[in-house]
Amino acid sequence: MTTQTKILGTGICLPEKVMTNFDLEKVVDTNDEWIYERTGIKARRICSTEGGEWPTDLAEKAAWRALEAAALTPDDIDMIIFASVTPDVKLPNSASILQQKLKITNQCAAMDIAVACSGFVYGANMADSFIKTGMAKKVLVVGSEMLSREIDWSDRTICILFGDGCGCAIFGAAEEGETSEVLATHLGTDGSGAEFFDQPIGGAVTPLTAEHIAAGEHFMRMKGREMFKVATRTLAENARIVLKKAGLSLEDVDWVVPHQANIRIIETTARLIGVPMEKVIVNIENYGNTSAATVPIAFHEAVMDGRIKRGDIVLFDAFGAGLTFGATLLRY
Ligand code: UT7
């Protein structure tokens, strides 16, 4: 029998602090109306800088929820894939820190992936491969970000978009007779668009200096309009590719869980692929863009409130800096 990959449990954790558009009006020259009309965002969560809400703290809490939902203990996990572009520290990797926080003693593989907003989808598709090849049995895939640390709060074109948060899922093999399975996966990258969203200061090429910080050059930089155009095209193409691979049509899809970057990107993509917005999970209003965490947070919320049910066909669809992109088509 070929192995079918199933999502065994999910969890999320969001920082306590809510920052509304009205709060942002006091920080930069912007207003609630502009932000909501152009992005669909009303509020975002912001991690405490006092501690207790670092990306691996959020991940620990989210993982405990996923473990409970899956009726598993930490030592059942035999691989951790941690997707983030805002890790707690440069070394060690966040997955190792999380393994320690969860008190996993089985010395399971623990790796980070830095593919920005596509991170959870990359992790999900990798988990599917590891499970299907027998290299792992229970893979914890995490998307956790503290973007509030890496954005320029004086730049209104970028700071209004992002927020902090974490979502995760545990992937494992379905039992015999179960219908849950990953039906098709797709991953890709177009490095020619690297300059549309980057953070060149602070790496090996240009180590961070006091001058960079004083000049505010160390933050993430984004070409919003270029990202917007690529995003809609890429998300639509991702969907077509996985549907074709699975031999399914759009009518078969019950729910689309897209990366939450901008409501206009989501609506344009839905129009391009021909899916009514009633089938699209959207929560950008509450959290903004949490990068690798948007898809698992949106998926978890829709499972919890009963919209997404076991047996439903679900499409995860994401793109991000790199430019990375990917999709997962699954029967939940
Ligand atoms: O996860 C993936 C990464 N990011 C994305 O996918 C983002 C994709 N891009 C976007 O979501 C949109 O391009 C933005 C929301 C970033 C910008 O929306 P836009 O409709 O492309 O606006 P724009 O950049 O064309 O700016 C329109 C106007 C400009 O004024 P002028 O030149 O027309 O007078 C901006 O200066 O809006 C102004 N503006 C603002 N006004 C109030 C830009 N930001 C703001 C702001 N508040 N926060």
Side-chain angles (χ1 to χ4, degrees), residues 214-234:
E217 292 166 346
H218 57 301
F219 295 116
M220 291 175 170
R221 310 179 305 184
M222 186 184 68
K223 293 190 171 137
R225 283 188 201 172
E226 282 81 351
M227 283 302 281
F228 194 103
K229 274 183 248 158
V230 176
T232 47
R233 214 176 41 233
T234 308

PDB file of all heavy atoms in Angstrom, residues 214-234:
ATOM      1  N   ALA A 214      21.873  53.286  12.317  1.00  0.00           N
ATOM      2  CA  ALA A 214      21.552  54.711  12.427  1.00  0.00           C
ATOM      3  C   ALA A 214      20.832  55.209  11.174  1.00  0.00           C
ATOM      4  O   ALA A 214      19.923  56.037  11.256  1.00  0.00           O
ATOM      5  CB  ALA A 214      22.833  55.508  12.651  1.00  0.00           C
ATOM      6  N   ALA A 215      21.228  54.671  10.017  1.00  0.00           N
ATOM      7  CA  ALA A 215      20.608  55.105   8.755  1.00  0.00           C
ATOM      8  C   ALA A 215      19.339  54.310   8.432  1.00  0.00           C
ATOM      9  O   ALA A 215      18.676  54.566   7.419  1.00  0.00           O
ATOM     10  CB  ALA A 215      21.618  54.973   7.619  1.00  0.00           C
ATOM     11  N   GLY A 216      19.014  53.333   9.255  1.00  0.00           N
ATOM     12  CA  GLY A 216      17.799  52.515   9.018  1.00  0.00           C
ATOM     13  C   GLY A 216      17.909  51.665   7.765  1.00  0.00           C
ATOM     14  O   GLY A 216      16.899  51.366   7.119  1.00  0.00           O
ATOM     15  N   GLU A 217      19.154  51.243   7.443  1.00  0.00           N
ATOM     16  CA  GLU A 217      19.353  50.481   6.196  1.00  0.00           C
ATOM     17  C   GLU A 217      19.223  48.969   6.372  1.00  0.00           C
ATOM     18  O   GLU A 217      19.348  48.223   5.410  1.00  0.00           O
ATOM     19  CB  GLU A 217      20.755  50.782   5.636  1.00  0.00           C
ATOM     20  CG  GLU A 217      20.916  52.194   5.131  1.00  0.00           C
ATOM     21  CD  GLU A 217      22.375  52.562   4.902  1.00  0.00           C
ATOM     22  OE1 GLU A 217      23.275  51.826   5.389  1.00  0.00           O
ATOM     23  OE2 GLU A 217      22.620  53.602   4.275  1.00  0.00           O
ATOM     24  N   HIS A 218      19.035  48.554   7.603  1.00  0.00           N
ATOM     25  CA  HIS A 218      19.070  47.105   7.900  1.00  0.00           C
ATOM     26  C   HIS A 218      17.702  46.437   7.793  1.00  0.00           C
ATOM     27  O   HIS A 218      17.601  45.234   7.980  1.00  0.00           O
ATOM     28  CB  HIS A 218      19.638  46.892   9.304  1.00  0.00           C
ATOM     29  CG  HIS A 218      18.886  47.618  10.379  1.00  0.00           C
ATOM     30  ND1 HIS A 218      18.728  48.988  10.383  1.00  0.00           N
ATOM     31  CD2 HIS A 218      18.237  47.166  11.471  1.00  0.00           C
ATOM     32  CE1 HIS A 218      18.028  49.341  11.436  1.00  0.00           C
ATOM     33  NE2 HIS A 218      17.708  48.264  12.118  1.00  0.00           N
ATOM     34  N   PHE A 219      16.671  47.209   7.485  1.00  0.00           N
ATOM     35  CA  PHE A 219      15.328  46.628   7.459  1.00  0.00           C
ATOM     36  C   PHE A 219      15.017  45.910   6.136  1.00  0.00           C
ATOM     37  O   PHE A 219      15.749  46.052   5.152  1.00  0.00           O
ATOM     38  CB  PHE A 219      14.285  47.730   7.668  1.00  0.00           C
ATOM     39  CG  PHE A 219      14.356  48.372   9.022  1.00  0.00           C
ATOM     40  CD1 PHE A 219      14.685  49.718   9.153  1.00  0.00           C
ATOM     41  CD2 PHE A 219      14.089  47.642  10.168  1.00  0.00           C
ATOM     42  CE1 PHE A 219      14.743  50.325  10.403  1.00  0.00           C
ATOM     43  CE2 PHE A 219      14.145  48.241  11.424  1.00  0.00           C
ATOM     44  CZ  PHE A 219      14.471  49.580  11.540  1.00  0.00           C
ATOM     45  N   MET A 220      13.891  45.188   6.140  1.00  0.00           N
ATOM     46  CA  MET A 220      13.408  44.568   4.897  1.00  0.00           C
ATOM     47  C   MET A 220      12.988  45.676   3.927  1.00  0.00           C
ATOM     48  O   MET A 220      12.448  46.704   4.357  1.00  0.00           O
ATOM     49  CB  MET A 220      12.182  43.696   5.201  1.00  0.00           C
ATOM     50  CG  MET A 220      12.513  42.464   5.995  1.00  0.00           C
ATOM     51  SD  MET A 220      11.000  41.570   6.428  1.00  0.00           S
ATOM     52  CE  MET A 220      11.707  40.060   7.077  1.00  0.00           C
ATOM     53  N   ARG A 221      13.216  45.435   2.637  1.00  0.00           N
ATOM     54  CA  ARG A 221      12.816  46.406   1.610  1.00  0.00           C
ATOM     55  C   ARG A 221      11.897  45.706   0.609  1.00  0.00           C
ATOM     56  O   ARG A 221      12.138  44.552   0.253  1.00  0.00           O
ATOM     57  CB  ARG A 221      14.030  46.939   0.837  1.00  0.00           C
ATOM     58  CG  ARG A 221      15.176  47.427   1.700  1.00  0.00           C
ATOM     59  CD  ARG A 221      16.327  47.900   0.840  1.00  0.00           C
ATOM     60  NE  ARG A 221      16.776  46.883  -0.115  1.00  0.00           N
ATOM     61  CZ  ARG A 221      17.813  47.018  -0.928  1.00  0.00           C
ATOM     62  NH1 ARG A 221      18.516  48.118  -0.909  1.00  0.00           N
ATOM     63  NH2 ARG A 221      18.144  46.062  -1.768  1.00  0.00           N
ATOM     64  N   MET A 222      10.866  46.400   0.171  1.00  0.00           N
ATOM     65  CA  MET A 222       9.934  45.733  -0.737  1.00  0.00           C
ATOM     66  C   MET A 222       9.471  46.667  -1.855  1.00  0.00           C
ATOM     67  O   MET A 222       9.198  47.837  -1.615  1.00  0.00           O
ATOM     68  CB  MET A 222       8.703  45.259   0.044  1.00  0.00           C
ATOM     69  CG  MET A 222       7.749  44.440  -0.794  1.00  0.00           C
ATOM     70  SD  MET A 222       6.275  43.996   0.126  1.00  0.00           S
ATOM     71  CE  MET A 222       5.506  45.595   0.318  1.00  0.00           C
ATOM     72  N   LYS A 223       9.416  46.113  -3.060  1.00  0.00           N
ATOM     73  CA  LYS A 223       8.812  46.850  -4.175  1.00  0.00           C
ATOM     74  C   LYS A 223       7.381  46.337  -4.288  1.00  0.00           C
ATOM     75  O   LYS A 223       7.124  45.288  -4.909  1.00  0.00           O
ATOM     76  CB  LYS A 223       9.603  46.610  -5.456  1.00  0.00           C
ATOM     77  CG  LYS A 223      10.998  47.215  -5.371  1.00  0.00           C
ATOM     78  CD  LYS A 223      11.716  47.204  -6.708  1.00  0.00           C
ATOM     79  CE  LYS A 223      12.997  48.002  -6.620  1.00  0.00           C
ATOM     80  NZ  LYS A 223      14.134  47.398  -7.269  1.00  0.00           N
ATOM     81  N   GLY A 224       6.476  47.047  -3.649  1.00  0.00           N
ATOM     82  CA  GLY A 224       5.098  46.583  -3.480  1.00  0.00           C
ATOM     83  C   GLY A 224       4.374  46.280  -4.775  1.00  0.00           C
ATOM     84  O   GLY A 224       3.747  45.229  -4.920  1.00  0.00           O
ATOM     85  N   ARG A 225       4.472  47.215  -5.722  1.00  0.00           N
ATOM     86  CA  ARG A 225       3.713  47.018  -6.982  1.00  0.00           C
ATOM     87  C   ARG A 225       4.204  45.808  -7.753  1.00  0.00           C
ATOM     88  O   ARG A 225       3.418  45.044  -8.314  1.00  0.00           O
ATOM     89  CB  ARG A 225       3.825  48.259  -7.862  1.00  0.00           C
ATOM     90  CG  ARG A 225       2.933  49.362  -7.361  1.00  0.00           C
ATOM     91  CD  ARG A 225       2.909  50.507  -8.341  1.00  0.00           C
ATOM     92  NE  ARG A 225       2.481  51.715  -7.662  1.00  0.00           N
ATOM     93  CZ  ARG A 225       2.496  52.916  -8.196  1.00  0.00           C
ATOM     94  NH1 ARG A 225       2.953  53.081  -9.414  1.00  0.00           N
ATOM     95  NH2 ARG A 225       2.082  53.949  -7.527  1.00  0.00           N
ATOM     96  N   GLU A 226       5.542  45.637  -7.792  1.00  0.00           N
ATOM     97  CA  GLU A 226       6.108  44.490  -8.514  1.00  0.00           C
ATOM     98  C   GLU A 226       5.678  43.186  -7.842  1.00  0.00           C
ATOM     99  O   GLU A 226       5.286  42.223  -8.508  1.00  0.00           O
ATOM    100  CB  GLU A 226       7.650  44.565  -8.535  1.00  0.00           C
ATOM    101  CG  GLU A 226       8.219  45.543  -9.546  1.00  0.00           C
ATOM    102  CD  GLU A 226       8.214  46.987  -9.058  1.00  0.00           C
ATOM    103  OE1 GLU A 226       7.621  47.261  -7.991  1.00  0.00           O
ATOM    104  OE2 GLU A 226       8.807  47.848  -9.745  1.00  0.00           O
ATOM    105  N   MET A 227       5.742  43.175  -6.498  1.00  0.00           N
ATOM    106  CA  MET A 227       5.323  41.970  -5.762  1.00  0.00           C
ATOM    107  C   MET A 227       3.862  41.656  -6.065  1.00  0.00           C
ATOM    108  O   MET A 227       3.484  40.502  -6.232  1.00  0.00           O
ATOM    109  CB  MET A 227       5.485  42.174  -4.245  1.00  0.00           C
ATOM    110  CG  MET A 227       6.887  42.065  -3.726  1.00  0.00           C
ATOM    111  SD  MET A 227       7.693  40.485  -4.070  1.00  0.00           S
ATOM    112  CE  MET A 227       7.001  39.404  -2.828  1.00  0.00           C
ATOM    113  N   PHE A 228       3.056  42.680  -6.107  1.00  0.00           N
ATOM    114  CA  PHE A 228       1.618  42.507  -6.336  1.00  0.00           C
ATOM    115  C   PHE A 228       1.362  41.788  -7.666  1.00  0.00           C
ATOM    116  O   PHE A 228       0.614  40.815  -7.731  1.00  0.00           O
ATOM    117  CB  PHE A 228       0.937  43.887  -6.345  1.00  0.00           C
ATOM    118  CG  PHE A 228      -0.562  43.821  -6.245  1.00  0.00           C
ATOM    119  CD1 PHE A 228      -1.192  44.096  -5.048  1.00  0.00           C
ATOM    120  CD2 PHE A 228      -1.342  43.493  -7.345  1.00  0.00           C
ATOM    121  CE1 PHE A 228      -2.579  44.039  -4.939  1.00  0.00           C
ATOM    122  CE2 PHE A 228      -2.719  43.432  -7.254  1.00  0.00           C
ATOM    123  CZ  PHE A 228      -3.334  43.710  -6.051  1.00  0.00           C
ATOM    124  N   LYS A 229       2.048  42.278  -8.705  1.00  0.00           N
ATOM    125  CA  LYS A 229       1.822  41.693 -10.042  1.00  0.00           C
ATOM    126  C   LYS A 229       2.266  40.237 -10.099  1.00  0.00           C
ATOM    127  O   LYS A 229       1.551  39.367 -10.590  1.00  0.00           O
ATOM    128  CB  LYS A 229       2.615  42.502 -11.099  1.00  0.00           C
ATOM    129  CG  LYS A 229       1.836  43.705 -11.604  1.00  0.00           C
ATOM    130  CD  LYS A 229       2.612  44.409 -12.689  1.00  0.00           C
ATOM    131  CE  LYS A 229       3.073  45.763 -12.205  1.00  0.00           C
ATOM    132  NZ  LYS A 229       4.181  46.370 -12.857  1.00  0.00           N
ATOM    133  N   VAL A 230       3.463  39.986  -9.573  1.00  0.00           N
ATOM    134  CA  VAL A 230       3.994  38.617  -9.592  1.00  0.00           C
ATOM    135  C   VAL A 230       3.094  37.695  -8.777  1.00  0.00           C
ATOM    136  O   VAL A 230       2.828  36.559  -9.154  1.00  0.00           O
ATOM    137  CB  VAL A 230       5.432  38.580  -9.026  1.00  0.00           C
ATOM    138  CG1 VAL A 230       5.939  37.160  -8.959  1.00  0.00           C
ATOM    139  CG2 VAL A 230       6.367  39.418  -9.861  1.00  0.00           C
ATOM    140  N   ALA A 231       2.624  38.214  -7.642  1.00  0.00           N
ATOM    141  CA  ALA A 231       1.842  37.393  -6.718  1.00  0.00           C
ATOM    142  C   ALA A 231       0.599  36.805  -7.371  1.00  0.00           C
ATOM    143  O   ALA A 231       0.365  35.592  -7.309  1.00  0.00           O
ATOM    144  CB  ALA A 231       1.438  38.240  -5.515  1.00  0.00           C
ATOM    145  N   THR A 232      -0.181  37.647  -8.015  1.00  0.00           N
ATOM    146  CA  THR A 232      -1.442  37.164  -8.586  1.00  0.00           C
ATOM    147  C   THR A 232      -1.173  36.123  -9.681  1.00  0.00           C
ATOM    148  O   THR A 232      -1.809  35.078  -9.720  1.00  0.00           O
ATOM    149  CB  THR A 232      -2.260  38.334  -9.166  1.00  0.00           C
ATOM    150  OG1 THR A 232      -1.392  39.133  -9.947  1.00  0.00           O
ATOM    151  CG2 THR A 232      -2.856  39.176  -8.060  1.00  0.00           C
ATOM    152  N   ARG A 233      -0.175  36.427 -10.527  1.00  0.00           N
ATOM    153  CA  ARG A 233       0.165  35.508 -11.609  1.00  0.00           C
ATOM    154  C   ARG A 233       0.624  34.158 -11.043  1.00  0.00           C
ATOM    155  O   ARG A 233       0.189  33.104 -11.472  1.00  0.00           O
ATOM    156  CB  ARG A 233       1.307  36.139 -12.428  1.00  0.00           C
ATOM    157  CG  ARG A 233       1.241  35.834 -13.896  1.00  0.00           C
ATOM    158  CD  ARG A 233       2.304  36.538 -14.692  1.00  0.00           C
ATOM    159  NE  ARG A 233       3.617  36.576 -14.100  1.00  0.00           N
ATOM    160  CZ  ARG A 233       4.323  37.700 -13.924  1.00  0.00           C
ATOM    161  NH1 ARG A 233       3.815  38.845 -14.255  1.00  0.00           N
ATOM    162  NH2 ARG A 233       5.532  37.657 -13.406  1.00  0.00           N
ATOM    163  N   THR A 234       1.494  34.238 -10.024  1.00  0.00           N
ATOM    164  CA  THR A 234       2.084  33.024  -9.459  1.00  0.00           C
ATOM    165  C   THR A 234       1.059  32.174  -8.727  1.00  0.00           C
ATOM    166  O   THR A 234       1.027  30.947  -8.883  1.00  0.00           O
ATOM    167  CB  THR A 234       3.216  33.420  -8.473  1.00  0.00           C
ATOM    168  OG1 THR A 234       4.098  34.300  -9.139  1.00  0.00           O
ATOM    169  CG2 THR A 234       3.968  32.203  -7.996  1.00  0.00           C
TER     170      THR A 234
END
